[in-house]
Amino acid sequence: MSPSLSFANVTVGYARHPALHHLTVTFPSRSLTAVIGPNGAGKSTLLKAAVGLIRPMSGRITCHDCRQRDIAYLPQLAEVDRSFPIPVFDFVAMGQWRRRGAFSAFRRDDDEATAHALAAVGLVGFEGRTLDTLSGGQMQRVMFARLILEDAPLILLDEPFSAIDDRTIGDLMQQVERWHTEGRTIAVVLHDLDLVRERFPRALLVARQCLAEGPTAEVLTEANLAAARHMTEAWDDHAPFCAGEAA
Amino acid sequence: MTPIDLIQPFIDFAFMRRALSGCLILSLSTAPVGVFLMLRRLSLTGDAMAHAILPGAACGYLLAGLNLYAMTAGGIVAGLVVATLSSLVARATPLKEDTSLATFYLMSLALGVIMVSLRGSSVDLMHILFGSVLALDDTALAFIATIASITIVVFAIVWRLLVMECIDPGFLRVLRGGGATAHFAFMGVMVLNLVAGYQALGTLLSVGLMVLPAAAARFWTRRIGGMIAAAAAIAMLSSALGLILSYFWRLPSGPAIIAVASAIYLASVLAGSVGGVLTSRLAFRHRSG
């Protein structure tokens, strides 16, 4: 339990252009880290690389005490087809995939676990609703219920609170903190700096490279944030190949 | 005319009984295929795949004449090749499933038409394209039943995977959950059903028994299990009614079955309890909370 995740000199990107350039950072065991940075800074790319959805062009990503496939990951734009006719209960129950897989039967206690997860995110009474009848906030609660059931030691959330109202953010943030006290390692991509200052002990500021990492107060300084704002988003099609590459 | 008169043809003629049992079995196995095609927005894929099967069947026909085994084997091989190639291209390149399938099925269809025209007359082509449900023999019937059994067993095995791959493919990708396996198994089963279908209804119309009942079922239930049951029931009803109509009115049987399925579909669009045009307009009473 309580794994750590480290990036050693990792470059990840698209079409040979790095979205994240020679990144070396660590998410320590039992830490709760906010990943911040401007749009296009490579925050989502960082999480995708961690769960293996993108292969790094160079460098190593290592996950101690946790297999890569055991990381729970909430994508920014989940590819959930909400028109598919499935009740909320069944969808959330799929969070137990690692234990039950594609074939095992669901037992009574599995169903109870699902009911508990739904209760934890405030969705009692929604069991039989289909996904297309849910609001954006309710859908995010459903995704969190599934994450609870995944029971993963390492949890990565990509902008879980965008377009979500304050009350829902409050409830879901409580769940994140519950995971933190349970000793799980968590990284959350966020844009709300006030929320980061209030609730996140650690922060990582990226802007296509690591600008600052550590206790939140030391990361969120005016100087660092100004540096992040000066990041260039555009690709230079004629940029020379990176010299570090040869090493 | 009494109700007994309606079933009289099935009592009198063995070929009518065989046609009916063939269609009923086929209805059972195409129902889940059609429902998943619809839910994955791949309904047109069924149509495209039916065309893709043609050169295989034509190849069998060129080599062995109107031989069930040769044409079937050819159809299955052609279908699986096209399904596999298009899925591979869709998963490994930026091309989406629809485009990559369209390219391969067009290739396949062109080949097939050329091959048929090399030897046969257009009458033979009509035979391949429109089938002959009234000419089902026991071998063909056993073949359809075998494919239906395989279909149901495969669905039972990959069910959870397939449902998850439809709803949230990204989740399975992170878990290394085998979404691709489910997809390929599903495509394989679809090809088998299309090949079974063209025995009964022909390549062009076999898709109808897959797509129309599934689309109609969507208007009657919100549950996937219910949807498949409804699709199977609609397909079976269409088969029976279509055969009866074709007998009394001397219509070609395959198209008659599809015409009945179309009528049921249109009625469902209008009057279906889940989102039907008329019912959703009429339901102006709403609950208080």
Side-chain angles (χ1 to χ4, degrees):
Chain A
M1 191 71 183
S2 68
S4 65
L5 175 68
S6 53
F7 289 68
N9 199 21
V10 171
T11 299
V12 220
Y14 308 90
R16 284 184 167 224
H17 292 280
L20 280 171
H21 206 183
H22 296 298
L23 182 85
T24 302
V25 294
T26 302
F27 297 92
S29 168
R30 295 168 177 271
S31 62
L32 171 57
T33 310
V35 180
I36 48 179
N39 285 327
K43 306 181 296 298
S44 299
T45 308
L46 178 92
L47 299 198
K48 281 184 196 161
V51 292
L53 290 177
I54 309 178
R55 281 166 58 88
M57 296 190 241
S58 68
R60 264 186 74 76
I61 301 172
T62 29
C63 192
H64 302 279
D65 297 328
C66 176
R67 290 181 307 169
Q68 195 176 41
R69 64 168 66 175
D70 290 333
I71 302 174
Y73 167 63
L74 178 67
Q76 181 180 8
L77 296 167
E79 300 172 63
V80 177
D81 176 4
R82 288 175 57 182
S83 68
F84 197 95
I86 186 173
V88 163
F89 189 90
D90 294 11
F91 179 77
V92 169
M94 294 294 180
Q96 308 179 58
W97 193 278
R98 289 186 188 81
R99 258 172 300 149
R100 292 290 165 252
F103 306 113
S104 305
F106 281 83
R107 295 176 230 281
R108 196 189 158 77
D109 41 333
D110 296 332
D111 287 346
E112 281 167 4
T114 306
H116 280 137
L118 282 169
V121 296
L123 283 181
V124 174
F126 283 74
E127 293 82 359
R129 292 267 291 266
T130 50
L131 299 181
D132 56 353
T133 64
L134 302 180
S135 73
Q138 288 162 350
M139 187 62 205
Q140 202 65 336
R141 287 174 189 262
V142 165
M143 300 305 284
F144 265 69
R146 190 173 74 174
L147 284 170
I148 292 175
L149 284 178
E150 286 191 53
D151 194 19
L154 179 52
I155 301 171
L156 308 178
L157 310 174
D158 195 350
E159 297 202 22
F161 306 138
S162 49
I164 303 286
D165 70 16
D166 291 341
R167 188 174 134 200
T168 308
I169 293 178
D171 289 356
L172 296 182
M173 201 51 222
Q174 270 183 14
Q175 181 57 44
V176 170
E177 283 169 345
R178 213 171 300 146
W179 281 326
H180 182 51
T181 52
E182 284 166 5
R184 300 172 205 267
T185 307
I186 309 161
V188 186
V189 172
L190 279 175
H191 281 295
D192 182 349
L193 294 186
D194 292 334
L195 186 67
V196 174
R197 282 197 189 91
E198 271 172 46
R199 316 282 284 265
F200 286 82
R202 267 186 101 254
L204 164 66
L205 178 63
V206 289
R208 299 187 66 186
Q209 52 183 321
C210 175
L211 289 186
E213 174 187 21
T216 304
E218 293 167 28
V219 172
L220 288 182
T221 60
E222 262 321 305
N224 283 339
L225 293 175
R229 275 192 289 273
H230 284 103
M231 174 197 81
T232 29
E233 268 192 69
W235 284 345
D236 180 357
D237 279 331
H238 304 290
F241 288 105
C242 177
E245 208 80 347
Chain B
M1 190 187 279
T2 63
I4 293 294
D5 289 338
L6 284 181
I7 58 166
Q8 198 62 41
F10 299 112
I11 297 169
D12 288 346
F13 300 107
F15 73 86
M16 286 296 281
R17 285 197 294 277
R18 269 202 294 268
L20 182 65
S21 26
C23 289
L24 291 184
I25 298 169
L26 201 58
S27 302
L28 261 185
S29 80
T30 53
V33 178
V35 167
F36 274 99
L37 280 178
M38 170 181 68
L39 293 176
R40 309 196 69 172
R41 297 180 179 81
L42 287 176
S43 289
L44 285 173
T45 300
D47 200 30
M49 285 304 300
H51 292 81
I53 287 169
L54 184 70
C59 193
Y61 171 68
L62 278 183
L63 293 174
L66 277 176
N67 176 314
L68 172 71
Y69 297 109
M71 287 171 59
T72 302
I76 292 178
V77 171
L80 290 181
V81 166
V82 170
T84 313
L85 284 180
S86 66
S87 299
L88 280 180
V89 169
R91 281 172 179 267
T93 74
L95 276 193
K96 300 274 187 240
E97 190 88 33
D98 57 341
T99 313
S100 96
L101 184 68
T103 55
F104 283 106
Y105 109 75
L106 287 168
M107 246 180 257
S108 197
L109 181 62
L111 261 178
V113 174
I114 289 172
M115 276 153 90
V116 172
S117 70
L118 276 184
R119 180 162 142 195
S121 63
S122 55
V123 178
D124 295 321
L125 184 60
M126 288 294 282
H127 183 89
I128 294 178
L129 288 183
F130 294 103
S132 47
V133 68
L134 300 182
L136 277 185
D137 56 13
D138 289 345
T139 332
L141 207 52
F143 174 69
I144 292 175
T146 310
I147 285 187
S149 312
I150 294 174
T151 304
I152 289 166
V153 170
V154 168
F155 269 104
I157 294 174
V158 302
W159 180 266
R160 196 182 293 163
L161 262 177
L162 193 57
V163 167
M164 210 53 214
E165 168 75 3
C166 291
I167 307 176
D168 194 354
F171 182 65
L172 283 185
R173 225 175 297 134
V174 171
L175 285 171
R176 319 287 194 274
T181 317
H183 179 76
F184 282 112
F186 173 68
M187 293 298 267
V189 163
M190 179 183 65
V191 168
L192 286 180
N193 273 278
L194 287 172
V195 174
Y198 90 71
Q199 296 295 330
L201 305 165
T203 38
L204 290 183
L205 297 176
S206 60
V207 188
L209 206 53
M210 213 175 258
V211 172
L212 286 166
R218 177 102 221 206
F219 288 98
W220 298 102
T221 168
R222 290 182 202 279
R223 294 285 173 137
I224 178 153
M227 230 171 257
I228 289 173
I234 291 169
M236 288 173 147
L237 183 67
S238 312
S239 304
L241 279 180
L243 283 172
I244 292 170
L245 287 182
S246 80
Y247 179 86
F248 286 106
W249 293 351
R250 303 188 171 285
L251 302 173
S253 48
I257 292 172
I258 299 306
V260 174
S262 310
I264 296 178
Y265 164 71
L266 289 176
S268 306
V269 171
L270 287 178
S273 58
V274 181
V277 175
L278 294 181
T279 25
S280 50
R281 295 294 177 282
L282 287 176
F284 40 71
R285 278 168 65 84
H286 58 264
R287 296 182 194 278
S288 57

